[in-house]
Amino acid sequence: MLSGVIREEFKDACWATASTLGILTFSSTDVDMTKKQPWPLGPEDPSDLEWLRLGAGKMKLWQLLNPLRPQSAFRPMAHVLARLSQPLPEKGIDGVPPDMVRFCGMGETSTAENNAYYSVAHGLSQLQKVDNLNDAYGSALRVSGHMSGNFGALLRQKDPMALILLCLWYEKARKTKWWIEMRARYEHEAIRSYIQEFHGGHAAVKQLL
């Protein structure tokens, strides 16, 4: 059905299914702490960061389904959903804290194409300024939607700066929805432990965490 034009009567059902699968995958907390340490502390597992792939797929579905279209059943959530599609700056460092700019290697000519941290750094900088939880929820989802691709590859390599940005995202995002908090309970703490153990002397750790 998704290989062609999606009929109007199926669009809301497709978006609802994608959203539910995303929540279930993200909130899955079947980690047995007595047998296996959570990512990134434990041995590599094919399911590590699976939620990144699903999140990227969901954003592609957005283009096909447009949950903000006038006849959508999700129109009552327009205020939250609109934040998912808000564009980030195309170039530069405006609004990004100086320390984050420095450690992400960003400059006035930086773009999403030439800097893997760019989109997450910009989205996270905006998220950190949002106090209203409903607004923060939409902004948090927007940031996670940019965590695939080159940034996702850095996470899988356990790149210290990518881990720091993910850690900062968890600290804000976990307050917005229960299902984010469920994963944050173990993965956020595991990321912090990994960073402190293997990169505790990194200047970015001291300045940003």
Side-chain angles (χ1 to χ4, degrees), residues 17 26 154 175 203:
T17 300
F26 194 93
L154 290 176
K175 302 173 185 176

Side-chain angles (χ1 to χ4, degrees), residues 117 154 157-165 195 199 202 205:
Y117 307 114
L154 290 176
Q157 296 165 16
K158 300 179 182 179
D159 171 80
M161 194 61 221
L163 290 174
I164 289 171
L165 293 178
I195 291 173
H199 305 288
H202 197 299
V205 176

Side-chain angles (χ1 to χ4, degrees), residues 15-188:
W15 183 254
T17 300
S19 297
T20 301
L21 285 174
I23 291 173
L24 290 175
T25 300
F26 194 93
S27 62
S28 176
T29 55
D30 58 350
V31 175
D32 186 344
M33 302 295 285
T34 64
K35 298 180 180 179
K36 175 187 174 184
Q37 290 183 304
W39 183 89
L41 291 173
E44 292 187 9
D45 187 281
S47 64
D48 290 339
L49 300 175
E50 179 70 6
W51 60 272
L52 289 181
R53 185 181 65 80
L54 288 177
K58 185 178 175 182
M59 295 313 296
K60 291 180 180 178
L61 272 179
W62 179 285
Q63 306 300 323
L64 295 173
L65 305 175
N66 185 15
L68 294 178
R69 68 193 191 284
Q71 62 273 48
S72 172
F74 296 95
R75 283 290 295 179
M77 298 178 61
H79 180 64
V80 173
L81 292 175
R83 286 184 169 265
L84 273 73
S85 58
Q86 284 182 346
L88 294 170
E90 295 183 0
K91 180 188 289 188
I93 57 176
D94 187 40
V96 182
D99 285 338
M100 192 176 292
V101 167
R102 178 159 59 97
F103 294 122
C104 290
M106 295 170 62
E108 295 296 344
T109 60
S110 294
T111 67
E113 285 68 41
N114 62 29
N115 188 298
Y117 307 114
Y118 181 88
S119 296
V120 174
H122 269 286
L124 182 59
S125 298
Q126 294 178 13
L127 171 62
Q128 290 177 329
K129 299 172 185 176
V130 180
D131 294 323
N132 180 277
L133 287 182
N134 282 331
D135 292 343
Y137 174 53
S139 296
L141 292 182
R142 180 176 64 155
V143 177
S144 66
H146 290 285
M147 287 185 178
S148 57
N150 291 333
F151 184 84
L154 290 176
L155 282 178
R156 290 182 175 85
Q157 296 165 16
K158 300 179 182 179
D159 171 80
M161 194 61 221
L163 290 174
I164 289 171
L165 293 178
L166 179 58
C167 196
L168 292 173
W169 177 80
Y170 265 126
E171 289 175 5
K172 184 74 175 186
R174 68 186 305 173
K175 302 173 185 176
T176 65
K177 288 295 177 181
W178 62 268
W179 52 272
I180 300 179
E181 168 63 21
M182 286 184 70
R183 177 172 289 270
R185 287 177 187 173
Y186 67 88
E187 193 162 279
H188 174 254

